[in-house]
Amino acid sequence: DAGVTQSPTHLIKTRGQHVTLRCSPISGHKSVSWYQQVLGQGPQFIFQYYEKEERGRGNFPDRFSARQFPNYSSELNVNALLLGDSALYLCASSWTGVSYNEQFFGPGTRLTVL
Amino acid sequence: QKEVEQNSGPLSVPEGAIASLNCTYSDRGSQSFFWYRQYSGKSPELIMFIYSNGDKEDGRFTAQLNKASQYVSLLIRDSQPSDSATYLCAVITEEDFNKFYFGSGTKLNVKP
């Protein structure tokens, strides 16, 4: 079975630009969560979507937005990129969006902002 | 603010020894606890989860949870060099059951 897939693998942008990251969950999983992982830190929660609805949002500015499509894939958008947005962006999928979730991570997208 | 604390390490153990990794959390409403392993440059892999007080064993791994003391630990028996990685602790709280709160991870080095 295919795991969580993310694209692109690596991305280089300049300050002020916009970026879109994509994620496809494990087949049958209906929930997708997005995390930002800065080098040396644990993943920080950005969003969770379940059945195309936002179920949770972390402490990130409005420059960060996301959506989930009918096929449960998801996009994370970041506007007006800052140097501090450079990080590994992880997508995780789980079967449901309710209590007790086993989340499985994709390989991540490495974003570098110059 | 929900805090999940881990010693950053590195924790060095000889091959074949038991590695003990610890995690403390601040929110008493924390419900479920997860251990992930992350190799350098890779994404986290789920090792195991626990939500009841006591021990849970899975192969060489044992998770231990003590809700009264607000800590969860991971024991790795017969440590192998391939176990060398960063181990991340994550919790879900009753209030924010859609959010995983991660610690910063403990780096484990298993020396041959």
Side-chain angles (χ1 to χ4, degrees), chain B residues 1-7 21-35 50-54 63-74 88-94 99-104:
Chain B
Q1 182 70 14
K2 296 173 177 58
E3 300 288 340
V4 180
E5 300 287 340
Q6 295 182 256
N7 188 318
L21 305 162
N22 299 314
C23 171
T24 59
Y25 57 94
S26 62
D27 191 330
R28 287 194 171 274
S30 298
Q31 280 191 325
S32 302
F33 307 84
F34 299 78
W35 283 101
I50 187 169
Y51 51 87
S52 298
N53 274 327
Q64 299 175 317
L65 174 60
N66 184 323
K67 288 188 176 181
S69 299
Q70 294 179 240
Y71 81 79
V72 56
S73 61
L74 180 70
L88 298 164
C89 171
V91 305
I92 294 177
T93 67
E94 186 175 38
K99 302 178 185 178
F100 274 48
Y101 292 89
F102 281 86
S104 295

XYZ file of all heavy atoms in Angstrom, chain B residues 1-7 21-35 50-54 63-74 88-94 99-104:
420
model
N -0.488 27.092 27.349
C 0.544 26.512 26.499
C 0.836 25.090 26.965
O 1.123 24.855 28.128
C 1.822 27.355 26.567
C 2.945 26.865 25.689
C 2.674 27.068 24.213
O 1.770 27.795 23.848
N 3.416 26.383 23.372
N 0.712 24.159 26.072
C 0.947 22.770 26.413
C 2.400 22.438 26.124
O 2.871 22.548 25.007
C 0.004 21.881 25.597
C -1.462 22.129 25.949
C -2.374 21.389 25.043
C -3.825 21.599 25.462
N -4.213 23.011 25.474
N 3.114 22.011 27.187
C 4.527 21.746 27.058
C 4.785 20.251 27.066
O 4.225 19.507 27.876
C 5.291 22.391 28.226
C 5.138 23.906 28.332
C 5.887 24.624 27.234
O 6.805 24.026 26.640
O 5.548 25.789 26.970
N 5.641 19.847 26.172
C 6.126 18.473 26.137
C 7.645 18.577 26.166
O 8.241 19.166 25.257
C 5.657 17.727 24.872
C 6.189 16.302 24.869
C 4.136 17.729 24.793
N 8.235 18.051 27.213
C 9.659 18.241 27.430
C 10.429 16.934 27.271
O 10.028 15.888 27.790
C 9.907 18.800 28.833
C 9.245 20.143 29.112
C 9.927 21.268 28.387
O 11.100 21.110 27.978
O 9.293 22.333 28.232
N 11.518 17.035 26.558
C 12.423 15.896 26.403
C 13.846 16.387 26.542
O 14.169 17.504 26.110
C 12.269 15.258 25.011
C 10.926 14.626 24.736
C 10.910 13.979 23.356
O 10.341 14.511 22.412
N 11.532 12.807 23.267
N 14.695 15.564 27.111
C 16.119 15.873 27.145
C 16.660 15.718 25.729
O 16.454 14.699 25.092
C 16.825 14.898 28.087
C 18.270 15.286 28.327
O 18.982 15.675 27.395
N 18.707 15.191 29.555
N 14.387 6.506 27.370
C 14.074 7.850 26.903
C 12.860 8.357 27.673
O 11.885 7.638 27.831
C 13.768 7.815 25.396
C 14.873 7.195 24.543
C 14.332 6.796 23.180
C 16.025 8.168 24.398
N 12.938 9.590 28.115
C 11.889 10.130 28.966
C 11.227 11.360 28.366
O 11.848 12.115 27.606
C 12.456 10.482 30.335
C 13.019 9.273 31.048
O 12.389 8.224 31.090
N 14.223 9.403 31.586
N 9.986 11.569 28.770
C 9.193 12.688 28.264
C 8.244 13.122 29.373
O 7.594 12.275 29.989
C 8.424 12.229 27.021
S 7.187 13.381 26.397
N 8.181 14.410 29.649
C 7.213 14.924 30.602
C 6.281 15.893 29.887
O 6.654 16.506 28.883
C 7.898 15.645 31.778
O 8.679 16.736 31.273
C 8.786 14.706 32.560
N 5.081 16.002 30.410
C 4.096 16.872 29.774
C 3.381 17.691 30.833
O 3.271 17.280 31.987
C 3.110 16.044 28.940
C 2.374 14.980 29.714
C 1.133 15.222 30.270
C 2.938 13.713 29.879
C 0.460 14.247 30.980
C 2.278 12.726 30.592
C 1.039 12.999 31.136
O 0.386 12.025 31.851
N 2.884 18.832 30.424
C 2.343 19.776 31.400
C 0.828 19.673 31.576
O 0.305 20.015 32.637
C 2.703 21.207 30.996
O 2.125 21.531 29.747
N 0.132 19.208 30.529
C -1.327 19.232 30.561
C -1.880 17.937 31.136
O -1.728 16.871 30.530
C -1.866 19.459 29.149
C -3.360 19.765 29.126
O -4.101 19.277 30.009
O -3.788 20.495 28.219
N -2.549 18.036 32.287
C -3.103 16.839 32.914
C -4.236 16.226 32.102
O -4.653 15.106 32.348
C -3.591 17.156 34.331
C -2.468 17.374 35.326
C -2.970 17.348 36.758
N -1.845 17.351 37.691
C -1.209 16.262 38.083
N -1.593 15.073 37.645
N -0.196 16.340 38.934
N -4.760 17.011 31.143
C -5.803 16.486 30.271
C -5.256 15.655 29.118
O -6.026 15.223 28.264
N -3.957 15.449 29.096
C -3.369 14.663 28.014
C -3.905 13.233 28.053
O -3.973 12.616 29.102
C -1.842 14.648 28.125
O -1.322 15.955 27.999
N -4.279 12.749 26.866
C -4.985 11.471 26.800
C -4.147 10.352 26.225
O -4.128 9.255 26.743
C -6.208 11.620 25.905
C -7.397 12.254 26.535
C -8.606 12.111 25.646
O -8.504 12.148 24.425
N -9.768 11.926 26.233
N -3.520 10.634 25.088
C -2.806 9.593 24.354
C -1.383 10.067 24.105
O -1.141 11.260 23.915
C -3.484 9.296 23.018
O -4.814 8.898 23.211
N -0.480 9.099 24.078
C 0.945 9.422 24.031
C 1.606 8.559 22.977
O 1.350 7.357 22.901
C 1.569 9.178 25.414
C 0.836 9.897 26.500
C -0.295 9.330 27.079
C 1.245 11.144 26.906
C -1.005 10.012 28.063
C 0.549 11.822 27.896
C -0.580 11.254 28.460
N 2.429 9.191 22.177
C 3.006 8.514 21.019
C 4.510 8.682 21.020
O 5.037 9.736 21.398
C 2.439 9.121 19.727
C 0.944 8.979 19.600
C 0.091 9.813 20.301
C 0.407 8.007 18.773
C -1.286 9.684 20.187
C -0.974 7.873 18.658
C -1.809 8.711 19.367
N 5.181 7.659 20.567
C 6.625 7.737 20.346
C 6.903 7.562 18.866
O 6.429 6.602 18.243
C 7.369 6.676 21.136
C 7.503 7.005 22.591
C 6.756 6.519 23.618
C 8.453 7.901 23.172
N 7.171 7.058 24.804
C 8.220 7.915 24.558
C 9.488 8.700 22.661
C 8.976 8.684 25.443
C 10.240 9.459 23.530
C 9.981 9.451 24.919
N 0.527 4.773 23.672
C 0.008 4.265 24.939
C -0.988 5.275 25.476
O -0.816 6.491 25.302
C 1.154 4.003 25.948
C 0.651 3.324 27.217
C 1.908 5.289 26.274
C 1.788 2.813 28.117
N -2.060 4.804 26.100
C -3.024 5.734 26.683
C -3.497 5.306 28.064
O -4.259 6.014 28.711
C -4.220 5.963 25.761
C -4.877 4.725 25.248
C -5.867 4.091 25.968
C -4.520 4.203 24.013
C -6.472 2.953 25.488
C -5.128 3.060 23.530
C -6.100 2.438 24.256
O -6.694 1.307 23.788
N -3.047 4.154 28.522
C -3.394 3.713 29.881
C -2.147 3.662 30.738
O -1.057 3.346 30.243
C -4.037 2.325 29.841
O -5.229 2.341 29.108
N -2.313 3.957 32.014
C -1.187 3.857 32.943
C -0.588 2.460 32.913
O -1.300 1.467 32.793
C -1.644 4.173 34.371
C -1.614 5.654 34.660
O -0.772 6.394 34.159
N -2.550 6.103 35.477
N 0.724 2.418 33.022
C 1.391 1.126 33.055
C 2.336 0.959 31.891
O 2.806 1.935 31.320
N 6.749 1.037 26.217
C 6.335 2.373 26.626
C 5.775 2.274 28.033
O 5.083 1.321 28.374
C 5.285 2.930 25.676
N 6.098 3.266 28.848
C 5.620 3.312 30.227
C 4.944 4.657 30.454
O 5.497 5.696 30.113
C 6.796 3.155 31.203
C 7.537 1.844 31.058
C 8.767 1.771 31.959
O 9.527 2.727 32.080
N 8.956 0.626 32.601
N 3.748 4.614 31.027
C 2.992 5.832 31.251
C 2.630 5.954 32.726
O 2.127 5.002 33.331
C 1.711 5.835 30.407
C 0.734 6.988 30.622
C 1.400 8.328 30.329
C -0.510 6.790 29.771
N 2.874 7.136 33.280
C 2.489 7.450 34.651
C 1.787 8.795 34.617
O 2.434 9.847 34.604
C 3.725 7.490 35.557
C 3.372 7.716 37.014
O 2.460 8.470 37.341
N 4.095 7.065 37.905
N 0.473 8.762 34.581
C -0.287 10.003 34.446
C -0.211 10.860 35.713
O -0.259 12.077 35.642
C -1.745 9.697 34.098
C -1.926 9.188 32.679
C -3.402 9.094 32.313
C -3.570 8.681 30.859
N -5.011 8.605 30.467
N -0.108 10.222 36.866
C -0.024 10.993 38.112
C 1.234 11.852 38.138
O 1.223 12.992 38.601
C -0.055 10.050 39.318
N 2.319 11.309 37.625
C 3.591 12.040 37.590
C 3.810 12.754 36.268
O 4.812 13.442 36.092
C 4.762 11.078 37.855
O 4.640 10.486 39.134
N 2.897 12.554 35.344
C 2.922 13.234 34.044
C 4.202 12.938 33.275
O 4.876 13.871 32.792
C 2.695 14.743 34.217
C 1.297 15.059 34.736
C 1.051 16.530 34.931
O 0.766 16.974 36.049
N 1.162 17.290 33.880
N 4.528 11.677 33.196
C 5.652 11.347 32.340
C 5.349 10.054 31.580
O 4.582 9.212 32.008
C 6.962 11.235 33.120
C 7.196 9.916 33.831
C 7.643 8.784 33.138
C 6.981 9.797 35.197
C 7.849 7.584 33.790
C 7.193 8.598 35.858
C 7.618 7.504 35.144
O 7.825 6.317 35.797
N 6.010 9.973 30.454
C 5.939 8.774 29.624
C 7.364 8.463 29.179
O 8.152 9.377 28.919
C 4.989 8.970 28.420
C 5.384 10.159 27.575
C 4.890 7.718 27.584
N 7.687 7.204 29.161
C 9.046 6.830 28.785
C 9.019 5.720 27.740
O 8.002 5.049 27.546
C 9.846 6.379 30.009
O 9.244 5.250 30.603
N 10.139 5.585 27.078
C 10.317 4.532 26.080
C 11.610 3.801 26.401
O 12.663 4.427 26.515
C 10.392 5.115 24.672
C 10.583 4.107 23.539
C 9.312 3.268 23.355
C 10.944 4.808 22.241
N 10.981 11.201 19.203
C 10.032 12.266 19.485
C 8.862 11.733 20.298
O 8.287 10.695 19.957
C 9.492 12.859 18.184
C 10.500 13.529 17.257
C 9.903 13.704 15.861
C 10.936 14.874 17.815
N 8.512 12.464 21.327
C 7.340 12.169 22.144
C 6.233 13.122 21.692
O 6.489 14.308 21.451
C 7.703 12.395 23.607
S 6.339 12.341 24.774
N 5.013 12.611 21.569
C 3.889 13.447 21.169
C 2.680 13.106 22.032
O 2.489 11.949 22.416
C 3.554 13.239 19.691
N 1.883 14.120 22.338
C 0.691 13.897 23.156
C -0.525 14.515 22.491
O -0.421 15.466 21.710
C 0.867 14.474 24.583
C 2.106 13.930 25.243
C 0.884 15.971 24.559
N -1.666 13.935 22.795
C -2.963 14.488 22.426
C -3.689 14.804 23.720
O -3.681 14.002 24.647
C -3.797 13.488 21.618
C -3.159 13.193 20.269
C -5.207 14.011 21.398
C -3.921 12.150 19.480
N -4.308 15.962 23.768
C -5.049 16.324 24.964
C -6.544 16.177 24.728
O -7.015 16.163 23.594
C -4.751 17.765 25.400
O -5.281 18.654 24.413
C -3.259 18.003 25.531
N -7.280 16.086 25.810
C -8.731 15.958 25.728
C -9.330 17.214 25.096
O -10.288 17.142 24.335
C -9.306 15.753 27.127
C -10.786 15.455 27.165
C -11.260 15.145 28.559
O -10.773 15.793 29.508
O -12.091 14.244 28.729
N -4.981 17.782 17.758
C -3.630 18.304 17.642
C -2.641 17.413 18.373
O -2.857 17.019 19.505
C -3.532 19.697 18.257
C -4.460 20.718 17.656
C -4.299 22.054 18.377
C -5.311 23.070 17.882
N -5.194 24.346 18.608
N -1.550 17.127 17.703
C -0.429 16.459 18.339
C 0.544 17.526 18.821
O 0.923 18.409 18.055
C 0.302 15.557 17.339
C -0.277 14.185 17.212
C -1.634 13.989 17.046
C 0.545 13.072 17.241
C -2.160 12.713 16.923
C 0.022 11.793 17.109
C -1.315 11.611 16.950
N 0.938 17.427 20.083
C 1.968 18.311 20.617
C 3.239 17.489 20.766
O 3.255 16.494 21.482
C 1.553 18.899 21.960
C 0.413 19.868 21.860
C -0.900 19.437 21.946
C 0.645 21.222 21.645
C -1.953 20.311 21.837
C -0.407 22.117 21.532
C -1.699 21.651 21.630
O -2.737 22.528 21.503
N 4.287 17.926 20.073
C 5.547 17.190 20.056
C 6.580 17.835 20.967
O 6.646 19.063 21.099
C 6.133 17.163 18.634
C 5.503 16.162 17.726
C 4.368 16.471 17.011
C 6.071 14.900 17.567
C 3.792 15.544 16.150
C 5.510 13.967 16.719
C 4.363 14.299 16.010
N 7.394 16.984 21.557
C 8.606 17.471 22.194
C 9.672 17.711 21.146
O 9.477 17.424 19.951
N 10.810 18.225 21.577
C 11.899 18.524 20.644
C 12.738 17.304 20.299
O 13.584 17.373 19.410
C 12.812 19.611 21.220
O 12.112 20.828 21.342
